[in-house]
Amino acid sequence: MAQPATKLDELVGREYPHGFVTEVETDTVPRGLDEDVIRLISRKKDEPAFMLEWRLAAFRAWQKMAEPHWAHLRIAPIDYQDIIYYSAPKQRGEGPKSLDEVDPELLKTYEKLGVPLHERERLAGVAVDAVFDSVSVGTTFQAKLAEMGIVFGSFSEAVRKHPELVRRYLGSVVPYTDNFFAALNAAVFTDGSFCYIPPGVRCPMELSTYFRINAKETGQFERTLIIADEGAYVSYLEGCTAPMRDENQLHAAVVELVAHERAHIKYSTVQNWYPGDREGKGGIYNFVTKRGDCRGANSRISWTQVETGSAITWKYPSVLLRGDNAVGEFYSVALTNNWQQADTGTKMIHIGRNTRSTIVSKGISAGHGQNTYRGLSKVLKGAEGARSHSECDSLLLGDTSGAHTFPYIEVRNPTATVEHEASTSRIGEDQLFYCRQRGISPEDAVSMIVNGFCKDVLKELPMEFAVEAQKLLGVSLEGSVG
Amino acid sequence: MDNVRRPQPLLQVEGLHASVDGKEILRGIDLTVNAGEVHAIMGPNGSGKSTLAQVLAGRESFSVTAGGARFLGHDLLSLAPEERAREGLVLGFQYPVEIPGVSNVYLLKAAVNAVRRHRGLAELDAMEFLKLIREKMQLVEMPDELLYRSVNEGFSGGEKKRNEILQMALLEPRLAILDETDSGLDIDALQVVAEGINALRGPGRAIVLVTHYQRLLGYVQPDFVHVLAHGRIVKSGGKELALELERRGYGWLEEAPAAPAREAEARAR
Ligand SMILES: Nc1ncnc2c1ncn2[C@@H]1O[C@H](COP(=O)(O)OP(=O)(O)OP(=O)(O)O)[C@@H](O)[C@H]1O
Ligand SMILES: [Mg+2]
């Protein structure tokens, strides 16, 4: 009388749907890294002298730094001389003036990924910048945004057209001396998105960058810089995918946000880099430094992230709360399945008076996935009346996965209030049975339970991406509880 | 009762043995339920009533070691829990499960549409579903507010039980197994739930009620009453058996040699 055992871990094992490779001719620099490679990259991008100087300074700093090591990450050594630091789809002559001139193969790639750059009407209300390996391949809605004084496009373009803005803000939140990967990024970053919202302007649409790693054995080092001037508002979303490859690929990005007085930046990420196969082979090493600077009084920066991809994720989107009454928020869902590892969290640094921070973190571990929350709430001496509240919940599926929580709290001002709550629960066989006994398939039941667990974070995402994220959680978990 | 040709039974359980962690809990259950009937299952705490209900509903943590069960002529035990529910065997839980963050209405809609898909019916859209659920909620006098809260989270005992009956009313099962749906209800709520159960009755349907109290059976008159003790049905009778149990307790049955009182005997009466 054996019953068909639909165990949760038989439900996983669905193939990564974005794992295809695009055949395009590429322009690639020799593997390895030295000052000549950096000069070559800078020359290819036709950069002004200050950029090259900055890159070289970063490179020299990086050479003196040691790679960080983490207690809870299992990681194969990375040979930094065996990586290709620049790969771009080959262009004939100048480079595309408009989307109509972009290589159709590339447009097709984004089409397949569900990011149709060409059919603008399908992305109504969202302006997209698409980054393919090392370079931006096209930006939509640029002209319309320009009418309002909004600068949005690739980083390279901003360096050419707005060098004064780049020079003023680049590295002002994440200096190249910040950490090993931030230094490496500063030395070799090839593209990314740049955005400037002038004073008093509310950006009328979601701005979005779609990152795609395609080439083999390349690293992707993009850099994003967003500035919201006084009283400005912008909501920004990044999405990412990569082909399935047996080797690990390195992704070391830097994101800098600057919010001036009364400005509000909402930054949402749906990260779905290739996570490796079921045995833990391949996948992206995702080492990212993201930091926001609430520079002005009453400014606000909100990070929302849904992290389902990558073999290893290491990122701590942080906020420096410098202006009085500034608000920092961090809403995170991190899901690890099979052999994925995530070490993520945030740092909220309270500097100004009456600054507030809210942290909501939901970690889900399935298979052999390991999920670590690491967060710092720090209140400096001058941060009179600062308040910080964090809530970290972990959900385990099956009994081979792990969840770890490391909250660090440092308070140097006696008027501050800092609270931290944490919980760990296991997805109940009883919850699953209850749903199934109402006719719901095990896949749908798991996805429903997990989405319920993440609800407080998902509701922070812009509507259209919340739906995407929900689907993604379902897919990433298929076949996963025991 | 003595028709020449009886219709195919809805549920037929024969010699069913089930255990958990090597511990035998069901030790040879025989039970036949025909369409249109209401069966009450009574018995002391720990006798195996919920285990029987859950094994029939497809809970995988129990293993069936001998015997079998057929539902509408199919081998019931080879079906997954969701297949059983879609085919029309639905369990009302003794302890309804909380699902944080999932709104009750979301679960109910997913359930109704899963069952409708299986039956070849079009899925209901949000408007159609709301209309349906409003109608059914009146039946169990459930406040709207409970639709938008997380499934069973923070529901009072009575609210959880009403919610189970609401699910039955929505899913329209052929066989509803209600495990102590009457426990923990106040006097008015008991009547509401009983009316909800009576509304489920119909010629094509059957109900198995697991209960400790004669009180519910006063409202929902059973056709048969079975007493489960130590994993076996030790006595079966008509609705008057429940009254007798209320007077005499279970002692006299448990002490008796476990001569399995066959249902057939009860039917013959
Ligand atoms: N998962 C389990 N592990 C171990 N023992 C179990 C398990 N589930 C049930 N049992 C045992 O099986 C026996 C029957 O339990 P069951 O819940 O079926 O009783 P019941 O008749 O429904 O009781 P009640 O009237 O109290 O609801 C009990 O002794 C119980 O402890
Ligand atoms: Mg019970």
Side-chain angles (χ1 to χ4, degrees):
Chain A
M1 276 312 137
Q3 303 191 9
T6 322
K7 285 281 172 50
L8 279 168
D9 40 43
E10 286 160 22
L11 302 178
V12 188
R14 181 183 144 144
E15 293 258 321
Y16 181 70
H18 309 299
F20 62 91
V21 176
T22 308
E23 294 302 333
V24 283
E25 262 193 275
T26 53
D27 175 10
T28 304
V29 303
R31 83 182 55 228
L33 186 58
D34 56 24
E35 295 201 1
D36 288 341
V37 168
I38 292 169
R39 288 200 171 84
L40 186 64
I41 291 173
S42 189
R43 199 162 56 240
K44 274 186 185 297
K45 307 188 73 64
D46 212 1
E47 288 180 344
F50 83 88
M51 283 297 299
L52 178 61
E53 288 314 311
W54 193 71
R55 289 175 180 281
L56 291 172
F59 178 66
R60 287 164 200 149
W62 178 73
Q63 283 179 308
K64 297 196 193 86
M65 291 170 148
E67 196 182 12
H69 289 278
W70 304 278
H72 282 272
L73 294 183
R74 196 179 52 105
I75 178 169
I78 302 170
D79 181 353
Y80 293 93
Q81 294 304 335
D82 198 33
I83 291 172
I84 297 166
Y85 287 87
Y86 182 86
S87 168
K90 230 182 207 136
Q91 290 169 355
R92 297 156 203 92
E94 265 286 89
K97 295 241 165 24
S98 75
L99 283 174
D100 301 325
E101 294 175 27
V102 172
D103 184 338
E105 275 300 310
L106 289 179
L107 291 177
K108 260 192 251 159
T109 298
Y110 286 93
E111 199 81 44
K112 268 203 224 168
L113 295 168
V115 187
L117 296 176
H118 229 138
E119 297 166 50
R120 293 169 194 196
E121 51 285 357
R122 280 173 59 187
L123 273 172
V126 183
V128 181
D129 182 29
V131 175
F132 190 85
D133 288 337
S134 302
V135 297
S136 170
V137 294
T139 307
T140 62
F141 286 110
Q142 229 171 1
K144 187 172 175 219
L145 293 166
E147 284 167 25
M148 306 181 73
I150 296 172
V151 180
F152 174 56
S154 74
F155 209 103
S156 324
E157 193 182 355
V159 169
R160 282 196 308 273
K161 294 191 183 159
H162 306 276
E164 68 304 334
L165 280 176
V166 173
R167 194 169 191 165
R168 181 166 161 209
Y169 289 102
L170 176 67
S172 72
V173 186
V174 180
Y176 57 71
T177 47
D178 192 81
N179 69 66
F180 184 84
F181 294 109
L184 179 61
N185 173 287
V188 304
F189 85 93
T190 38
D191 219 329
S193 290
F194 178 88
C195 169
Y196 171 79
I197 316 287
V201 172
R202 232 191 119 77
C203 184
M205 57 181 82
E206 308 279 344
L207 300 186
S208 153
T209 301
Y210 198 91
F211 293 105
R212 172 77 176 167
I213 297 179
N214 187 64
K216 206 171 171 170
E217 297 173 329
T218 42
Q220 180 154 324
F221 305 93
E222 82 274 352
R223 195 158 183 116
T224 299
L225 176 54
I226 298 174
I227 302 126
D229 218 321
E230 288 180 15
Y233 167 81
V234 62
S235 168
Y236 182 90
L237 183 117
E238 62 169 21
C240 347
T241 56
M244 290 164 31
R245 301 200 184 270
D246 286 347
E247 320 82 39
N248 295 109
Q249 279 180 290
L250 180 62
H251 173 248
V254 170
V255 176
E256 297 180 276
L257 311 182
V258 178
H260 288 288
E261 208 176 305
R262 286 172 289 106
H264 180 188
I265 302 176
K266 192 172 161 57
Y267 192 104
S268 313
T269 305
V270 174
Q271 185 263 112
N272 187 28
W273 296 118
Y274 176 53
D277 67 11
R278 295 192 68 168
E279 273 70 53
K281 194 160 187 222
I284 302 292
Y285 286 170
N286 189 32
F287 299 136
V288 174
T289 306
K290 289 182 165 174
R291 192 173 304 151
D293 185 356
C294 281
R295 223 164 260 191
N298 300 301
S299 57
R300 175 169 168 198
I301 289 178
S302 321
W303 295 105
T304 305
Q305 57 174 28
V306 174
E307 304 280 322
T308 59
S310 298
I312 297 181
T313 294
W314 176 86
K315 65 184 268 200
Y316 314 91
S318 307
V319 185
L320 298 171
L321 297 154
R322 294 208 284 178
D324 291 348
N325 311 314
V327 175
E329 293 165 307
F330 175 71
Y331 300 99
S332 168
V333 168
L335 182 152
T336 52
N337 195 1
N338 297 323
W339 294 92
Q340 282 177 276
Q341 307 169 74
D343 193 314
T344 183
T346 185
K347 293 177 201 161
M348 293 289 175
I349 315 293
H350 294 257
I351 303 166
R353 282 171 300 169
N354 295 316
T355 45
R356 275 182 290 139
S357 62
T358 302
I359 299 166
V360 179
S361 158
K362 306 279 180 180
I364 300 143
S365 326
H368 298 273
Q370 293 293 325
N371 216 316
T372 300
Y373 169 83
R374 197 183 294 278
L376 170 67
S377 300
K378 186 169 181 169
V379 178
L380 300 189
K381 244 199 182 97
E384 202 70 20
R387 276 179 290 154
S388 172
H389 180 85
S390 54
E391 204 181 299
C392 304
D393 301 314
S394 309
L395 185 67
L396 300 174
L397 286 79
D399 46 21
T400 50
S401 59
H404 319 272
T405 302
F406 301 102
Y408 302 94
I409 293 174
E410 287 177 46
V411 181
R412 305 234 180 86
N413 185 307
T415 61
T417 332
V418 178
E419 298 159 337
H420 175 79
E421 293 169 32
S423 77
T424 300
S425 52
R426 202 168 279 281
I427 202 165
E429 199 239 328
D430 52 345
Q431 290 176 329
L432 210 57
F433 179 59
Y434 189 74
C435 295
R436 293 177 69 185
Q437 233 301 310
R438 268 83 192 107
I440 298 166
S441 71
E443 294 84 356
D444 289 350
V446 168
S447 141
M448 189 185 287
I449 295 165
V450 167
N451 275 299
F453 173 76
C454 299
K455 195 177 82 179
D456 292 344
V457 172
L458 298 179
K459 74 180 192 326
E460 296 296 326
L461 285 175
M463 186 62 133
E464 48 281 51
F465 302 118
V467 174
E468 272 310 294
Q470 277 181 16
K471 283 193 207 133
L472 193 57
L473 286 174
V475 169
S476 306
L477 272 174
E478 260 169 50
S480 65
V481 192
Chain B
M1 285 256 119
D2 45 5
N3 306 353
V4 196
R5 290 207 334 232
R6 299 179 67 81
Q8 187 183 50
L10 213 48
L11 176 72
Q12 196 158 26
V13 181
E14 274 173 6
L16 187 71
H17 287 247
S19 52
V20 63
D21 298 334
K23 176 178 155 195
E24 188 164 67
I25 296 169
L26 298 183
R27 301 189 301 156
I29 302 276
D30 294 293
L31 178 68
T32 300
V33 177
N34 292 300
E37 296 176 349
V38 174
H39 290 240
I41 295 183
M42 306 183 79
N45 293 134
S47 55
K49 303 181 296 297
S50 293
T51 303
L52 174 62
Q54 303 223 8
V55 167
L56 294 177
R59 183 117 199 185
E60 285 152 3
S61 46
F62 297 101
S63 40
V64 172
T65 50
R70 302 187 78 74
F71 182 63
L72 291 167
H74 304 294
D75 175 12
L76 177 68
L77 302 181
S78 67
L79 299 179
E82 61 275 17
E83 293 169 324
R84 299 183 198 199
R86 292 172 197 163
E87 287 291 334
L89 189 161
V90 183
L91 170 65
F93 284 57
Q94 180 175 3
Y95 304 110
V97 179
E98 301 186 356
I99 311 178
V102 176
S103 75
N104 203 22
V105 69
Y106 187 86
L107 175 94
L108 296 172
K109 181 162 173 261
V112 166
N113 280 333
V115 170
R116 288 181 67 92
R117 264 198 308 278
H118 180 76
R119 294 180 186 162
L121 299 169
E123 292 187 32
L124 299 182
D125 64 25
M127 294 305 288
E128 293 165 327
F129 180 72
L130 227 58
K131 192 164 164 275
L132 174 70
I133 199 162
R134 287 264 142 73
E135 176 193 316
K136 301 292 185 184
M137 277 174 66
Q138 282 176 5
L139 195 71
V140 289
E141 297 181 12
M142 207 166 105
D144 257 29
E145 181 239 348
L146 291 184
L147 282 182
Y148 302 102
R149 298 229 319 247
S150 295
V151 178
N152 292 317
E153 201 182 34
F155 285 25
S156 76
E159 288 168 344
K160 284 183 182 168
K161 297 301 170 78
R162 285 181 203 218
N163 199 31
E164 294 295 293
I165 296 294
L166 175 63
Q167 299 184 12
M168 297 296 153
L170 285 167
L171 298 179
E172 304 186 322
R174 289 206 179 86
L175 175 63
I177 302 176
L178 303 176
D179 192 357
E180 295 202 25
T181 306
D182 56 336
S183 293
L185 295 179
D186 68 40
I187 300 159
D188 294 339
L190 181 67
Q191 205 165 344
V192 169
V193 163
E195 275 161 24
I197 297 173
N198 278 327
L200 289 175
R201 291 182 84 154
R205 302 236 186 94
I207 301 172
V208 172
L209 294 173
V210 175
T211 182
H212 285 295
Y213 308 108
Q214 159 58 28
R215 184 160 214 125
L216 175 70
L217 302 180
Y219 294 115
V220 184
Q221 301 251 323
D223 301 295
F224 302 97
V225 174
H226 311 277
V227 179
L228 201 64
H230 303 299
R232 289 201 183 96
I233 292 182
V234 294
K235 184 145 184 81
S236 295
K239 61 176 184 268
E240 64 290 339
L241 176 56
L243 290 164
E244 189 175 0
L245 292 170
E246 184 118 304
R247 272 201 323 276
R248 297 180 64 188
Y250 294 116
W252 60 287
L253 287 169
E254 285 186 276
E255 279 151 27
R262 305 272 329 189
E263 281 222 280
E265 294 169 29
R267 283 180 198 284
R269 261 182 239 178

